[in-house]
């Protein structure tokens, strides 16, 4: 009875739920099999193994996260877009810790290139940053700055890493203000100076965006 309706999509969705409950690192095929009341071997008709399952959870979570970010950023520009992007990122990371952890694993470049979620993440992230007048190689540098700041802050907040009396949300808002200032006054670099003439964020393997 438990086997009825079992599919790859259901397994991935259940694995994402399990990740939020017990931590992404604790998701296993055995735990997932127990959730469906089947033997481990039954899952191999739908996923080739744990690595594929982890990758599919990462792509699922990345799609959910960028959909939330896109909805908040739509129609905004400049600082308003940056704040909407940042707040949606933080909200997802705190609400779905296991899914969020999945978005931080490295996905095979070939799979990333075929993933609508990964492409959408790059398009929205780079598009927002182009609003600050940035082009390559500065776009990639700016993406890395945002990703490092957002991920570092959310990871520390989730584990109770901020102990001072200062309100955590107030510090987050100040960090976003600081990022806006940095992007507005970005120390621009020419492609020639970087040694990557003609570099473009629309290449086949762009730097992962903050949500990827």
């Amino acid at each position: 009875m438990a086997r009825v309706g079992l599919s790859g999509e259901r397994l991935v969705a259940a694995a994402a739920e399990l990740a939020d409950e017990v931590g992404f690192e604790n998701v296993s095929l055995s735990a997932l099999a127990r959730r469906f009341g089947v033997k481990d071997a039954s899952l191999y008709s739908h996923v080739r193994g744990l690595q594929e399952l982890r990758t599919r959870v990462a792509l699922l979570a990345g799609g959910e996260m960028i959909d939330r970010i896109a909805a908040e950023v739509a129609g905004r520009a400049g600082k308003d877009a940056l704040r909407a992007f940042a707040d949606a990122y933080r909200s997802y990371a705190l609400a779905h810790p296991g899914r969020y952890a999945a978005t931080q694993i490295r996905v095979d470049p070939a799979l990333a290139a075929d993933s609508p979620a990964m492409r959408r993440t790059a398009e929205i992230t780079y598009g927002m940053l182009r609003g600050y007048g940035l082009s390559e190689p500065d776009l990639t540098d700016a993406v890395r700055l945002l990703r490092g700041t957002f991920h570092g802050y959310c990871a520390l907040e989730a584990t109770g890493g901020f102990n001072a009396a200062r309100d955590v949300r107030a510090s987050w808002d100040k960090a976003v203000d600081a990022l806006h200032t940095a992007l507005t006054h970005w120390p621009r670099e020419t492609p020639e100076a970087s040694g990557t003439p003609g570099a473009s964020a629309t290449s086949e393997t762009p730097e992962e965006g903050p949500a990827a």
Side-chain angles (χ1 to χ4, degrees), residues 151-162:
H151 176 62
Y153 199 102
C154 291
L156 286 167
E157 183 177 4
T159 57
F162 297 124

Side-chain angles (χ1 to χ4, degrees), residues 120-144:
R120 185 165 163 77
T121 296
E123 289 167 2
I124 291 173
T125 305
Y126 281 98
M128 179 191 69
L129 290 172
R130 286 194 188 95
Y132 284 94
L134 299 180
S135 58
E136 289 292 9
D138 297 311
L139 276 170
T140 294
D141 293 339
V143 167
R144 290 172 177 172

Side-chain angles (χ1 to χ4, degrees), residues 7 21 23 27 61 66 76 121 176 182-183 186 207:
S7 66
E21 294 169 11
V27 173
I66 197 57
R76 302 175 186 268
T121 296
V176 175
L183 293 169
W186 192 265
E207 178 74 11

